[in-house]
Amino acid sequence: MAGATLANGVDPERTVSGIAPLTEAGSDDLSFFDNIRYADDLAKTAAACVIVDQRNLRLIPPQIGALVAKDVQSAFASAGQALFPLAIAPTAASGQAGLSSRADIHPTARIEDGVTVEAFAVIGPHVAIGRDTLVGAGAVIGAGCRIGRSSRVGPGACVTHALLGNRVILHPGVRVGQDGFGYAAGPTGLKKSVQIGRVIIQDDVEIGANTAVDRGAIRDTVIGEGTKIDNQVQIGHNVKIGRHCAIVAQVAISGSTTIGDGVMIGGQTAINGHLTIGDGAQIAAVSSVAGDVPAGARWGGTPAKPVREWFREMTLLSELAKKRRSPRKDDE
């Protein structure tokens, strides 16, 4: 199930029923080791079994079982899903299934069998919700929205002007489909630019708590299949995000930016509007992106630039600070 191989000499009948970090694992737990800085924790662990890569197998204590994997994190994630299948997606807070009598469901809404709508949720006119989807307590699904099958809309989330695919997960407090920030400055002040686009969220997207995804202004905001977005991210109007991207907490993406497939963006990064981030690019945390990023590039810093150039600049500044002198004094 984990795509790993049992190390030589390990009893194949050994069982595990839980997962835990090395320092807390007991005799029934599975853990993992992929960073040499935790070698002391590995030496003292009481875990039943540890997932490890081939190069670190020699560090596993003899009494500990070992599963050898090429990708330790992926193997541990697979094992966790097998042991705790109910933790893969949110479950109903009430523990009940079906349509709550305390939910407000418009009579024109089309809801397939197996849908759960919890208390105080609001389902607007002409909404369509697919089989095995959960709408959590206090969530709002606005008029005309479509939600696919086996999706999860967390408590207090709000979805308007949006089409959601299958197996989409929106954690509590997510906001999808509200107006983007658009105004025309003039002599009498700021005139609002109408926002009439939609949000399209494709299959297998997961969006963390309190993230906001603005509707398009005059075209759609799109999030591609398999993309994972962390908590407290801001996605502006007309943004297009490709497939299987990873966007970490407190990232801000300004309007009309296009992000390719497989892009990874570190936490607290700001991306200017009307830019293109190429396929497979990686942006370091706490960066400020002011220009287009080529496909496959690794950028970081403020303003963001190729990481080698950024590291050289940081090294030079550090050396200057240690010398306690400025570049002008060096020239003198």
Side-chain angles (χ1 to χ4, degrees):
M1 288 186 293
T5 303
L6 197 66
N8 292 334
V10 178
D11 179 7
E13 299 301 316
R14 181 176 293 197
T15 62
V16 295
S17 58
I19 56 176
L22 292 168
T23 53
E24 300 175 20
S27 58
D28 295 323
D29 290 326
L30 175 72
S31 192
F32 71 98
F33 176 78
D34 68 347
N35 192 320
I36 197 66
R37 73 172 64 180
Y38 300 112
D40 289 344
D41 295 338
L42 177 63
K44 300 173 185 176
T45 190
C49 188
V50 174
I51 298 177
V52 65
D53 61 21
Q54 185 63 48
R55 93 180 158 214
N56 289 320
L57 179 59
R58 59 185 175 79
L59 299 176
I60 300 292
Q63 74 276 14
I64 305 298
L67 284 168
V68 182
K70 290 183 179 179
D71 187 332
V72 172
Q73 289 282 354
S74 178
F76 188 69
S78 296
Q81 290 183 8
L83 287 165
F84 299 97
L86 294 180
I88 296 173
T91 56
S94 63
Q96 299 177 349
L99 308 182
S100 171
S101 61
R102 293 184 291 170
D104 185 350
I105 302 174
H106 196 276
T108 62
R110 294 182 290 119
I111 299 177
E112 291 188 340
D113 293 340
V115 171
T116 293
V117 179
E118 294 196 285
F120 309 115
V122 176
I123 310 297
H126 307 293
V127 166
I129 302 176
R131 186 177 59 244
D132 297 327
T133 286
L134 165 66
V135 179
V140 175
I141 311 298
C145 288
R146 303 286 190 269
I147 301 175
R149 293 171 174 166
S150 301
S151 292
R152 300 288 185 269
V153 178
C158 180
V159 178
T160 61
H161 312 101
L163 308 178
L164 277 58
N166 301 319
R167 299 174 302 280
V168 171
I169 297 175
L170 307 181
H171 286 278
V174 166
R175 300 289 184 259
V176 172
Q178 63 285 329
D179 282 0
F181 191 78
Y183 297 89
T188 60
L190 298 173
K191 182 181 294 185
K192 184 176 178 65
S193 299
V194 297
Q195 312 285 302
I196 59 172
R198 304 172 299 178
V199 176
I200 311 296
I201 299 178
Q202 297 178 358
D203 294 350
D204 300 304
V205 169
E206 183 166 355
I207 300 179
N210 297 322
T211 283
V213 183
D214 294 343
R215 68 187 296 195
I218 53 176
R219 69 179 190 189
D220 295 334
T221 299
V222 179
I223 301 177
E225 66 172 316
T227 285
K228 312 301 181 186
I229 299 171
D230 201 356
N231 303 334
Q232 296 182 324
V233 171
Q234 163 63 31
I235 298 172
H237 57 205
N238 308 333
V239 167
K240 293 187 181 296
I241 299 174
R243 299 175 299 158
H244 306 294
C245 296
I247 301 174
V248 185
Q250 297 182 347
V251 165
I253 304 173
S254 298
S256 300
T257 284
T258 298
I259 295 175
D261 297 337
V263 172
M264 304 184 74
I265 303 174
Q268 295 188 328
T269 288
I271 299 177
N272 207 354
H274 303 274
L275 301 183
T276 297
I277 312 296
D279 294 349
Q282 298 181 16
I283 312 296
V286 200
S287 296
S288 178
V289 181
D292 293 344
V293 179
R298 299 176 65 222
W299 281 28
T302 302
K305 54 183 66 68
V307 290
R308 289 186 179 180
E309 182 180 341
W310 177 38
F311 288 164
R312 284 197 299 269
E313 290 182 1
M314 292 300 99
T315 300
L316 177 59
L317 288 172
S318 178
E319 291 174 351
L320 290 172
K322 288 178 182 178
K323 293 178 181 179
R324 295 179 180 273
R325 60 187 184 187
S326 69
R328 178 173 293 180
K329 288 183 179 180
D330 284 345
D331 292 338
E332 296 172 355

